[in-house]
């Protein structure tokens, strides 16, 4: 009898505890389960997005090696999709650089410029944005849009100061500002010690010296 009474007291205690905390436990369990499912769902979504972005990037790369109007259309369409649907993906930034290079090679300077400007303004990778600024400055130099080209080289990012100074020298030299160009190249030379570009910059300085 004492045993039955003790068991009944335990059951009553459990019921009382459940009355107090049962709903809270159910809610917490639901929250934990929802969190796990949400995290797994997010991982699946991210993987799915990356797979799709990679597919468009591969299509863009393939189109960049082809020629003809159809290849150009595929190139531009793949880049547009990457930029609109996957703008924060690294594939979008890399795709813009590849598309800009291919379009410039085919004489579509305006198309190349548009790709680079998008990357500079909305790209997610700082290093690629820095490369885009350098390449845009070169493109603007070819168009003799010197002021706009120089504007791209203001406040060079870390690690790009030497290359930016070199490109600045190119632009100044194209404007017949020989002394300023030489100073920019000298600056680049000091920043590019040990870099493969160093010898090329030295050749420019030597060539300017021979002209004076």
């Amino acid at each position: 009898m004492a045993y039955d009474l003790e068991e009944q007291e335990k059951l009553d205690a459990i019921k009382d505890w459940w009355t107090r905390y049962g709903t809270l436990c159910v809610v917490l369990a639901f929250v934990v389960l929802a969190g796990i499912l949400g995290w797994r769902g997010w991982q699946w979504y991210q993987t799915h997005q990356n797979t799709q972005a990679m597919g468009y990037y591969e299509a863009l790369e393939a189109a960049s090696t082809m020629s003809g109007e159809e290849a150009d259309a595929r190139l531009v369409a793949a880049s547009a999709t990457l930029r609109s649907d996957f703008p924060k993906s690294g594939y979008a930034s890399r795709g813009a650089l590849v598309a800009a290079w291919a379009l410039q090679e085919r004489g579509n300077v305006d198309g190349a410029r548009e790709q680079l400007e998008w990357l500079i303004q909305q790209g997610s990778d700082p290093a690629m944005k820095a490369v885009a600024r350098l390449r845009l400055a070169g493109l603007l130099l070819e168009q003799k849009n010197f002021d706009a080209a120089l504007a791209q080289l203001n406040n060079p990012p870390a690690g790009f100061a030497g290359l930016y100074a070199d490109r600045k020298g190119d632009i100044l030299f194209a404007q017949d500002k020989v002394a300023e160009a030489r100073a920019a190249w000298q600056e680049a030379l000091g920043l590019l010690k040990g870099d493969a570009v160093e010898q090329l910059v030295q050749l420019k300085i030597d060539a300017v010296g021979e002209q004076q």
Side-chain angles (χ1 to χ4, degrees):
M1 184 69 178
Y3 177 78
D4 291 342
L5 182 60
E6 183 178 346
E7 286 295 314
Q8 186 61 45
E9 289 176 348
K10 288 180 179 179
L11 288 173
D12 290 341
I14 291 172
K15 289 178 181 179
D16 181 59
W17 184 90
W18 183 256
T19 299
R20 292 182 179 183
Y21 305 109
T23 302
L24 177 61
C25 288
V26 171
V27 171
L28 289 175
F30 176 80
V31 169
V32 171
L33 180 61
I36 293 172
L37 292 175
W39 173 246
R40 289 183 177 176
W42 174 250
Q43 287 181 314
W44 175 88
Y45 174 76
Q46 289 292 93
T47 301
H48 179 66
Q49 289 288 94
N50 285 335
T51 300
Q52 283 193 308
M54 181 175 65
Y56 283 109
Y57 176 75
E58 289 175 346
L60 187 153
E61 264 195 325
S64 71
T65 63
M66 302 175 185
S67 59
E69 292 183 3
E70 184 177 352
D72 289 354
R74 289 181 180 180
L75 179 78
V76 172
S79 178
T81 300
L82 283 170
R83 289 159 50 180
S84 62
D85 296 355
F86 313 97
K88 300 303 180 183
S89 165
Y91 291 112
S93 296
R94 291 198 293 273
L97 281 179
V98 172
W101 170 82
L103 291 169
Q104 187 173 358
E105 286 291 302
R106 297 168 190 180
N108 187 349
V109 178
D110 290 337
R113 179 174 176 175
E114 192 270 336
Q115 295 283 340
L116 294 172
E117 288 176 341
W118 176 87
L119 178 52
I120 293 167
Q121 295 168 9
Q122 300 187 45
S124 59
D125 189 318
M128 289 189 184
K129 292 174 73 169
V131 172
R133 286 174 57 191
L134 188 65
R135 289 181 56 180
L136 181 56
L139 188 152
L140 292 167
L141 169 59
E142 290 183 9
Q143 294 182 313
K144 302 187 184 303
N145 193 347
F146 302 125
D147 290 340
L150 288 171
Q152 291 298 326
L153 303 175
N154 292 329
N155 303 314
F160 286 84
L163 294 173
Y164 274 45
D166 175 42
R167 183 57 51 83
K168 181 178 180 180
D170 296 343
I171 298 167
L172 292 168
F173 185 75
Q175 294 177 282
D176 293 324
K177 298 178 180 179
V178 178
E180 293 178 52
R182 181 183 177 87
W185 285 329
Q186 288 284 8
E187 179 186 355
L189 198 64
L191 293 166
L192 293 170
K193 289 295 183 183
D195 194 286
V197 185
E198 180 185 358
Q199 294 182 2
L200 179 59
V201 176
Q202 185 62 61
L203 288 173
K204 294 177 184 179
I205 294 173
D206 293 344
V208 169
E210 292 175 0
Q211 294 178 14
Q212 292 178 336

